[in-house]
Amino acid sequence: MTPPRALGLLLLLALPACLEIDQTIVLGADGSGRQTVRMSLRESTIAELQKASAAAQLGAAADPTAVFDQKLVEPELRAAGLTLVSHQTKRTPGRRTVDLEATFPDFATLQKSPLCGSTAEWELAKGPKEGTARLTFYPQGKAAWTEARAKAEQMQGAADAVATSFFQKRQQQLAGLSIQVRLQVPGDVLVWTKNMVKTGDREVTATITAEQIQTPEDLVRRLAPRFEVIFAAAGTKLPLQ
């Protein structure tokens, strides 16, 4: 029997409505760091996911309640090289919430962290100027971002009845969606992508909500984003590519 994947839900923007995720990734000067995640789901959403899992015969490997079980989360993180620091759950009428924190010893471990989702990709490279570094995060993978960008450009100004119909249905499903991704880096932030805002000297934050998704192009771009920040890196020991 395949063991449940406890962290398969995190940062998957294709989930049904009423998903709330707040994630912070802190990168240290030597490439180590920590991740904190707060995720909240309605019980009705969990039930829908369980039905979908059963219908697709995915079994325990896609159990949407596994993330709320520390006994399942901890070994999955350990297998990826992370250390679980804390795991707290809360159950209120109609909703479940989990708060967890984990540390990673180096950037290579962050690159395979299940807390970012199974398709996520990270890049850490030299910046455009001496003494700077570029951190890039693709939550759904680089290929998905490239494809989404090309598709969104093709959709601009083009009327497609099928795409419009799909978008209208998906827009309704995403009601209540709220996702925040916060990147904290070991040097002052210099440049960042326009889908983020600078929220501190060394911090940028991306926010994705249902209200932001008003067109099919918005949907395509936000389902497979790229988050990038360039920061001062002089004196750090980061493994720059």
Side-chain angles (χ1 to χ4, degrees), residues 42-120:
R42 282 189 178 178
E43 293 284 4
S44 58
T45 300
I46 294 174
E48 290 175 17
L49 288 167
Q50 288 174 321
K51 290 180 181 179
S53 174
Q57 297 183 341
L58 296 176
D63 181 1
T65 66
V67 70
F68 300 99
D69 189 338
Q70 182 175 343
K71 293 181 180 178
L72 297 175
V73 171
E74 190 163 16
E76 184 173 346
L77 288 173
R78 189 186 311 116
L82 289 89
T83 300
L84 182 65
V85 176
S86 65
H87 182 281
Q88 298 179 337
T89 59
K90 182 179 180 181
R91 200 163 186 167
T92 55
R95 183 172 288 275
R96 289 194 219 182
T97 301
V98 60
D99 287 275
L100 61 88
E101 179 178 349
T103 59
F104 52 90
D106 49 45
F107 184 71
T109 301
L110 173 63
Q111 289 179 298
K112 58 185 180 182
S113 169
L115 290 174
C116 301
S118 60
T119 60

Side-chain angles (χ1 to χ4, degrees), residues 132-143:
T132 66
R134 184 195 309 269
L135 178 66
T136 310
F137 177 36
Y138 303 93
Q140 302 299 327
K142 188 173 183 177

Side-chain angles (χ1 to χ4, degrees), residues 191-223:
V191 182
W192 56 96
T193 46
K194 63 180 181 180
N195 58 357
M196 309 190 84
V197 295
K198 184 178 179 182
T199 48
D201 290 342
R202 298 186 174 189
E203 178 184 277
V204 288
T205 302
T207 302
I208 299 174
T209 65
E211 290 73 22
Q212 295 173 346
I213 302 174
Q214 298 297 320
T215 68
E217 296 96 314
D218 291 338
L219 178 65
V220 169
R221 289 184 184 277
R222 283 172 172 77
L223 286 180

